[in-house]
Amino acid sequence: MAKKIVAIGGGTIGEKSPYGIQPYETEIMDREIIELTDSINPNILFIGLADPKYSKEYFMLINAVYNGRYSCKCKNLDLSLLDNKEMVDYYFEWADAIYVGGGNTYTLMKILRTYGIDKKLKESYNNGKVMSGISAGGICWFSYGNSVIPTDSSKKLIKLDCLNFKNMVFAPHCDEINGHFENVENLLFSEDMVGLSLSNACALEIVDEKYRLIASDTSRYKIKPFALKSFWYENKYYIENVELYSDFLDYNELISKVPTGNEPSEDVKSLLKRRNIYFNR
């Protein structure tokens, strides 16, 4: 069975907000998730446990996309169902793709492990179901990510152990001022791995040992979606651009810690310089 992940760095899904209808930035990712199931109208299991208080409202938004736009059948793995093993087993057997919503990654991982959902996700991954998600739902598939403990008033970012389906640090929303991209350097300091930081409207797609980066045709902050790879090599921290290709490439190249000299674009450097991040080295 091919093993499939679509980890989305962020983006709006055409939802309503106080500012009106938001752009539909994740269309290319949503279509790819459906395509990877090899079904015209696949079954989508939504997991909104990174924000359990609002998971029903979040599910309504996802259902409006996957059911309303693409005629997929959708179910919500709500917190209230997790004690019902038969129901949980049925939902996972029923699903062709699993979509994990955004929110707090610490909360998400705690709930997944408390109820054994982490093991169900691993089983589904090994059985060829599409693992996907946005923000916290993208972070969770990898080795580590940034998060905050909800009860910690300092809101200090911590290094969080995740599902480790792929040996990498994943950081979403790197075009926003949130500290996550900045803290990747610390997460990687003692680790023999790379970090991948994605802007909103950009996603990493992995099929077995091949990968590609896909992005919406949109501009935030007057900059197109982008991806940055970072790692420590011979006591120096590197940040490199990762190209967005339509073709799949060797995943081992993505996780290689050999510097290539592929610097971020001047637009990206300018954005990050305004936040006093790196590029003054």
Side-chain angles (χ1 to χ4, degrees), residues 49-145:
L49 300 175
D51 194 1
K53 184 177 179 180
Y54 297 102
S55 68
K56 290 182 173 65
E57 292 87 345
Y58 200 161
F59 173 69
M60 291 175 64
L61 296 174
I62 294 297
N63 190 58
V65 172
Y66 280 93
N67 179 265
R69 290 178 181 268
Y70 306 116
S71 300
C72 300
K73 295 174 283 294
C74 303
K75 293 185 185 295
N76 179 26
L77 189 67
D78 189 69
L79 186 62
S80 62
L81 298 173
L82 299 187
D83 281 323
N84 187 332
K85 184 179 183 302
E86 289 186 0
M87 184 66 73
V88 170
D89 288 346
Y90 165 69
Y91 272 28
F92 274 93
E93 290 169 6
W94 171 86
D96 298 305
I98 294 162
Y99 187 108
V100 182
N104 182 274
T105 316
Y106 176 89
T107 299
L108 171 66
M109 293 308 306
K110 185 175 181 179
I111 294 174
L112 294 180
R113 289 180 171 131
T114 297
Y115 291 92
I117 304 302
D118 55 337
K119 297 179 178 62
K120 298 298 296 182
L121 290 168
K122 184 69 171 182
E123 180 183 329
S124 297
Y125 176 62
N126 289 333
N127 287 337
K129 297 179 188 287
V130 182
M131 304 289 105
S132 65
I134 190 167
S135 190
I139 293 172
C140 68
W141 310 117
F142 300 92
S143 301
Y144 303 107

